[in-house]
């Protein structure tokens, strides 16, 4: 594959995601008669716009790599084995338990860190929860399709030797994941990079995206649910500006590492008994 082709897969989907998100934000602004459609606080429709734009970009990334590299799309989901729904279920349960534990520890030792205000349930809260449950899995799957399904193998194709290729793919995928989250804060940028590395390792160890998808879905659904009910009945905002991250992110980083360990142990056992 020519050197520029992986670059197309790496660059085009995130740009398309950003453009689609802006267009959907403007549309939501018209629907909601908003004076500032680009405001940081989420409304249910704005949150839906974000999730749909990410999901669309993930599908675009897979289609681009299939077209450019002439590979079957199933090989980008899992290879050499077939997609395994049982793996997905197992990892979804494990991820939900680990992420819930991480949220609980954060709530105990650093409740102010995530920006939670107070528990509250209003019509806005209910609408947000519906959007979270229905569309956040689409967003999480979209990011995994984009970065683990497409960017990781595309970047790895720049190098012939297997292990160096995996390293290149892992570095490009994890840094790209951190960059698209748009934070200049060192703690947050490091945390997003760790998420990228962890989910890359899950995909590499398990030879598929079931584990990273399960972790990403559990992480995003649970955290967004808590953010919603702890916003005092209003929409919540995600602040990624400088000086918004802190050492409490080490707790969530440990959850990522624990999930990688869970995947390694499960896959090792599966190969030993297979």
């Amino acid at each position: 594959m020519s050197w520029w082709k992986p670059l197309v897969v790496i660059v085009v989907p995130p740009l398309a995601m950003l453009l689609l998100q802006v267009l959907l934000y403007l549309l939501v602004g018209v629907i909601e008669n908003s004076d500032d459609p680009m405001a940081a606080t989420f409304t249910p429709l704005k949150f839906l716009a974000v999730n749909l734009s990410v999901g669309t970009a993930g599908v675009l990334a897979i289609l681009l790599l299939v077209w450019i590299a002439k590979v079957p799309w199933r090989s980008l989901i899992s290879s050499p084995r077939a997609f395994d729904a049982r793996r997905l279920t197992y990892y979804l349960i494990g991820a939900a338990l680990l992420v819930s534990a991480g949220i609980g520890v954060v709530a105990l030792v650093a409740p102010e860190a995530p920006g939670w205000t107070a528990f509250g349930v209003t019509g806005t809260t209910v609408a947000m929860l519906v959007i979270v449950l229905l569309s956040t899995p689409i967003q999480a799957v979209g990011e995994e399709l984009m970065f683990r399904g497409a960017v990781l193998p595309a970047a790895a194709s720049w190098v012939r030797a297997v292990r160096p290729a995996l390293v290149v793919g892992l570095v490009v995928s994890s840094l790209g994941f951190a960059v698209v989250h748009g934070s200049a804060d060192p703690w947050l940028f490091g945390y997003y990079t760790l998420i990228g590395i962890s989910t890359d390792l899950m995909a590499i160890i398990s030879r598929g995206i079931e584990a990273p998808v399960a972790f990403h879905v559990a992480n995003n659904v649970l955290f967004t649910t808590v953010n919603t009910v702890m916003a005092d009945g209003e929409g919540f905002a995600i602040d990624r500006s400088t000086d918004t991250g802190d050492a409490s992110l080490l707790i969530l980083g440990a959850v990522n590492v624990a999930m990688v360990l869970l995947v390694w142990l499960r896959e090792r056992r599966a190969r030993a008994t297979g």
Side-chain angles (χ1 to χ4, degrees):
M1 188 161 57
S2 302
W3 68 268
W4 59 269
K5 291 182 179 180
L7 200 58
V8 172
V9 176
I10 293 167
V11 173
V12 170
L15 292 179
M17 177 186 70
L18 179 60
L19 176 60
L20 181 58
Q21 184 175 320
V22 170
L23 292 175
L24 290 176
Y25 264 29
L26 293 175
L27 176 61
V28 170
V30 172
I31 295 172
E32 296 179 341
N33 195 26
S34 172
D35 294 330
D36 185 10
M38 299 299 170
T41 300
F42 286 114
T43 65
L45 285 180
K46 285 176 69 175
F47 196 69
L48 177 62
V50 171
N51 289 345
L52 292 180
S53 65
V54 177
T56 301
V59 173
L60 174 62
I62 292 295
L63 293 177
L64 272 175
L65 189 54
V66 167
W67 175 59
I68 288 174
K70 302 295 187 294
V71 294
W73 66 267
R74 288 182 178 84
S75 69
L76 303 176
I77 306 302
S78 58
S79 181
R81 60 175 179 78
F83 177 83
D84 187 351
R86 290 177 299 176
R87 263 187 175 87
L88 180 65
T89 302
Y90 176 90
Y91 288 132
L92 189 59
I93 294 171
L97 293 173
L98 289 172
V99 172
S100 297
I103 293 173
V105 174
V106 170
L108 286 174
V109 304
E112 72 290 341
W116 299 329
T117 52
F119 178 82
V121 177
T122 63
T124 297
T125 307
V126 173
M128 279 293 296
L129 288 175
V130 171
I131 296 298
V132 166
L133 294 176
L134 293 180
S135 70
T136 299
I138 295 173
Q139 175 263 338
V141 171
E143 286 193 325
E144 290 309 311
L145 289 175
M146 193 185 323
F147 290 100
R148 258 52 69 185
V151 171
L152 175 61
S157 71
W158 278 324
V159 182
R160 288 184 179 274
V162 175
R163 289 186 180 179
L166 287 176
V167 171
V168 170
L170 189 149
V171 169
V172 173
S173 175
S174 58
L175 289 179
F177 181 81
V179 168
V180 299
H181 281 78
S183 178
D185 179 82
W187 280 104
L188 283 172
F189 189 86
Y191 174 62
Y192 288 127
T193 302
L194 177 61
I195 293 177
I197 293 171
S198 299
T199 46
D200 281 337
L201 289 174
M202 293 176 208
I204 292 169
I205 293 168
S206 64
R207 298 177 294 175
I209 66 169
E210 296 95 338
V213 162
F215 178 75
H216 211 142
V217 169
N219 184 78
N220 288 15
V221 168
L222 289 172
F223 263 103
T224 309
T225 297
V226 174
N227 288 343
T228 298
V229 299
M230 293 301 294
D232 199 20
E234 303 295 331
F236 67 89
I238 297 179
D239 187 359
R240 293 171 178 158
S241 58
T242 305
D243 298 327
T244 52
D246 58 31
S248 66
L249 290 170
L250 294 174
I251 298 169
L252 306 182
V255 172
N256 283 264
V257 174
M259 185 66 189
V260 174
L261 181 60
L262 173 66
V263 173
W264 179 74
L265 290 172
R266 194 272 180 194
E267 295 299 325
R268 183 185 180 191
R269 184 171 65 250
R271 286 165 192 160
T273 58

